[in-house]
Amino acid sequence: MVDAATSTTRWLADVADRAVSLISAFQDRSGAYPASPNFSAYAGYCWFRDGAFIADAMSAAGRYDSAEAFHRWAATALIGWRGRVDAIGAATSILHVEHLLLPARLRLDGSEASDEWANHQVDGYGTWLWALGEHLRRTGSPAEPWLPAIEVVVDYLLAVGTMPCFDWWEERPPGVHPSTIACVAAGLRSASGMGVLDAARNHAARAECDALLERLAWGASSTGYLPKSEGSTAVDAAAIAAVGPLRVVGGSLGLATLATVEARLVDGAKVYRFEADQYYGGGPWPLLSAMLGLAWLEYGNEARARELLDWVVTTEDIRGWIPEQARGRLLHPEELAVWRGRWGPSATPLLWSSAMALRLIVALRPGLS
């Protein structure tokens, strides 16, 4: 007779297998991960942030080939921007180079999109460096072949890492966001730890990382938690990533941030982005529940991580697809029809959602065996 623990382990292994299969099936031959293959606003585009988290999940699950293909895709684009980043670094005012700022998303073939999308987001570049570092650590592969791309990103983050930009959710107006700062800090720390940067870049990356971590602590001094943006008391679930999986914030500040998110943005195991969220009515995001599970594991709270994962898995449809937003209470239901009229039903599948479920399953597997 199969006991309950064994049954649960097999069930989650099946979920993980479906996530790997889904991501593999939709990964472009270029190596890029489309945000969602059939949602009009996302299809044909890959975000550095989403892609980095997806690649990290595939790498953690042992699908090194998939992660490596994504990193090669990203590195090719980054190396091509060497001149732009040099021009940004040499400018006397950032106002003179706004047209050179790097995009948050690219077409799957690596070309830039000429549209009105809120494209200046720095978080994706820090997240890419972090994900690359995690992949190289797992595989034991050398960092030297990646050095030209690593140098481009380090120089870019040193130049614009604290410049006001759009947040993870592309909200206007631009600001300085702890979730973005955490991604930049994680990337610079990762790059410094690879042992391939020249002395000057390595020193600058380390110093900037330390300064950013101090800035996060300072920015939380009046609230006790990481706020949505500097000078704000609003809460944003994107701050979860600073605790896990990025691991740049811990201790009492990390715990207070998770507790605040739980109190203000969580309904059972359903995690919402932020209180003013109107996008598709502001429903719960499975990827954020999985990310919250990863963050709670940093404090040894496996039971809560399991609760969050259990709900995430229930959002799978019959095809094994996990959506961007799942069914649940809407924060602003009056806005749902507006977004459906603009773009149709919300994104399903969202590859990032499946990736975060996969990443949490991999993190929990020792406790499930």
Side-chain angles (χ1 to χ4, degrees), residues 20 37 109 122 149 151 162 221 227 233 295 319 337:
V20 168
D109 64 5
V122 182
E151 289 179 337
T162 57
S221 60
T233 59
R319 298 162 293 186

Side-chain angles (χ1 to χ4, degrees), residues 239-261:
I240 294 167
V243 181
L246 299 179
R247 296 177 175 173
V248 294
V249 172
S252 59
L253 175 56
L255 191 59
T257 298
L258 299 188
T260 304
V261 169

